[in-house]
Amino acid sequence: MSRVCSVCGKGQTSGNNVSHSKRRTRRTFKANVQKISYVDKSGKVVTDYVCTRCMKTIERA
């Protein structure tokens, strides 16, 4: 599953794990995407992966 939102394009970002001794190792932050069906602007019912922030703004079918 591709972890990219089909509405806003939010995807994976990177950062650092920081231990107690302040050592830094690279890590990834993955977008929280869910598979939902919703009505798009043209009136069609679409099933796609959408991030949870966009789920609040979309009217669901």
Side-chain angles (χ1 to χ4, degrees), residues 17-39:
N17 275 331
V18 183
S19 69
H20 183 69
S21 62
K22 305 295 191 285
R23 300 278 305 215
R24 286 165 169 79
T25 55
R26 297 301 285 179
R27 63 159 295 184
T28 57
F29 296 94
K30 294 179 178 153
N32 185 8
V33 293
Q34 310 293 324
K35 189 173 188 176
I36 65 165
S37 57
Y38 61 95
V39 178

